[in-house]
Amino acid sequence: MNEHLQPGGKLPNEAHLAKELNIGRSSLREAMKLLASRNIVTIRQGSGTYVASSPGVVDDPLGFTFIPDKKACPGSA
């Protein structure tokens, strides 16, 4: 909040955030996963973590993105 990041804005890297918040990196990772599940941040592998373009608006309210093999699900097309 102090950084006044806008939707799409890139967050500092993991090491910097952990140091700034005085927490361990594993705690930070868990927090980021939680924020990503609530569509507050978007994690792009190899690129970084960004403020979601529509924070709080869930694109997948039923959680289908967490199913590893969508073809193996009963009733899937």
Side-chain angles (χ1 to χ4, degrees):
M1 292 180 81
N2 294 340
E3 300 294 327
H4 303 289
L5 294 169
Q6 299 297 316
K10 186 173 182 180
L11 276 69
N13 68 34
E14 188 177 272
H16 178 81
L17 276 176
K19 184 177 179 182
E20 185 175 309
L21 298 170
N22 196 30
I23 60 173
R25 290 175 71 174
S26 60
S27 296
L28 179 66
R29 283 188 202 109
E30 288 302 313
M32 286 299 171
K33 287 179 189 177
L34 178 65
L35 292 172
S37 73
R38 295 182 182 192
N39 199 39
I40 295 170
V41 299
T42 302
I43 301 170
R44 298 184 199 148
Q45 193 72 16
S47 177
T49 303
Y50 299 82
V51 177
S53 55
S54 354
V57 178
V58 179
D59 291 332
D60 182 19
L62 299 177
F64 290 123
T65 57
F66 295 106
I67 299 172
D69 185 2
K70 292 165 188 59
K71 292 181 183 177
C73 295
S76 63

